[in-house]
């Protein structure tokens, strides 16, 4: 059985992939990249055709982005270009 835990990228050999293709496809639909290997070399990558829909929440990044007080002040190195 394939590990259901979502990771950044999962590698699985071809023989195992053929046994559990439905769950690999479902994992790809959920956003996981699945790399199928043959003779220990990557040969196929399963990824979703359309972007993965993620639940977005307004304000979820609040406090993560800050803008410096002098953000819109002229940059000293560019004074020659501002005239």
């Amino acid at each position: 059985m394939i590990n259901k835990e979502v990771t950044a990228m999962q590698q699985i050999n071809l023989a195992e992939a053929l046994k559990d293709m439905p769950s690999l496809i479902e994992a790809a639909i959920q956003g996981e990249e699945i790399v199928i290997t043959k003779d220990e070399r990557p040969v196929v990558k399963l990824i979703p055709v359309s972007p993965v829909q993620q639940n977005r929440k307004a304000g979820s990044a609040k406090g993560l982005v800050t803008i410096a007080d002098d953000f819109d002040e002229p940059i000293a190195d560019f004074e020659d270009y501002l005239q």
Side-chain angles (χ1 to χ4, degrees), residues 3-74:
N3 183 358
K4 300 291 183 183
E5 182 178 312
V6 175
T7 59
M9 183 170 46
Q10 178 178 341
Q11 289 192 2
I12 185 168
N13 69 46
L14 181 58
E16 289 186 32
L18 290 172
K19 292 179 195 173
D20 203 13
M21 189 57 69
S23 71
L24 292 174
I25 291 171
E26 186 59 36
I29 290 170
Q30 298 301 318
E32 184 174 352
E33 289 186 8
I34 311 293
V35 175
I36 299 175
T37 62
K38 183 176 181 182
D39 298 327
E40 299 183 17
R41 297 182 66 188
V43 291
V44 175
K45 183 190 294 187
L46 294 178
I47 59 172
V49 173
S50 58
V52 176
Q53 296 293 327
Q54 296 186 7
N55 296 331
R56 297 185 294 175
K57 182 179 175 186
S60 64
K62 186 174 183 176
L64 297 177
V65 177
T66 58
I67 298 176
D69 292 334
D70 64 348
F71 173 78
D72 57 353
E73 296 296 321

